[in-house]
Amino acid sequence: MDKTLITSCILALVSGTPALAAEPTPSFETRAKEHCQKSLSIPSCNQVKPPGPFIKRCVEDAVLTGSFEFVETARKDYLRACQRLTPKPAPSKP
């Protein structure tokens, strides 16, 4: 914690005046949404399959576990789904 904030809180307790308000930090869910959206922002894949359900699951997993450990798993699942939907090029003739 910042020494200035600690000092301000101590002075507020002693003098009875309000302490400085700390900067609000984004909630974990907000950070999870941003992180999952960024990780699943793959333009070539986004054109083939919308990432919405994968982002939703990624955020739910992150919030449930309290970590971003499963973001890479969501990314791999999304890429596999895109690959299945991407048409294969016709084989070239020799």
Side-chain angles (χ1 to χ4, degrees), residues 7-76:
T7 305
S8 174
C9 290
I10 292 170
L11 289 174
L13 286 171
V14 172
S15 67
T17 59
L20 296 174
E23 289 286 323
T25 57
S27 71
F28 184 80
E29 185 174 0
T30 300
R31 291 187 345 213
K33 285 178 185 175
E34 291 170 358
H35 192 64
C36 290
Q37 287 173 342
K38 184 178 176 184
S39 295
L40 296 171
S41 177
I42 307 164
S44 59
C45 196
N46 295 159
Q47 292 175 357
V48 176
K49 181 153 186 77
F54 294 89
I55 292 171
K56 182 177 184 242
R57 191 183 79 210
C58 177
V59 171
E60 288 170 351
D61 289 347
V63 169
L64 182 67
T65 62
S67 79
F68 297 120
E69 187 174 337
F70 296 101
V71 173
E72 188 57 29
T73 301
R75 182 177 169 82
K76 287 178 183 178

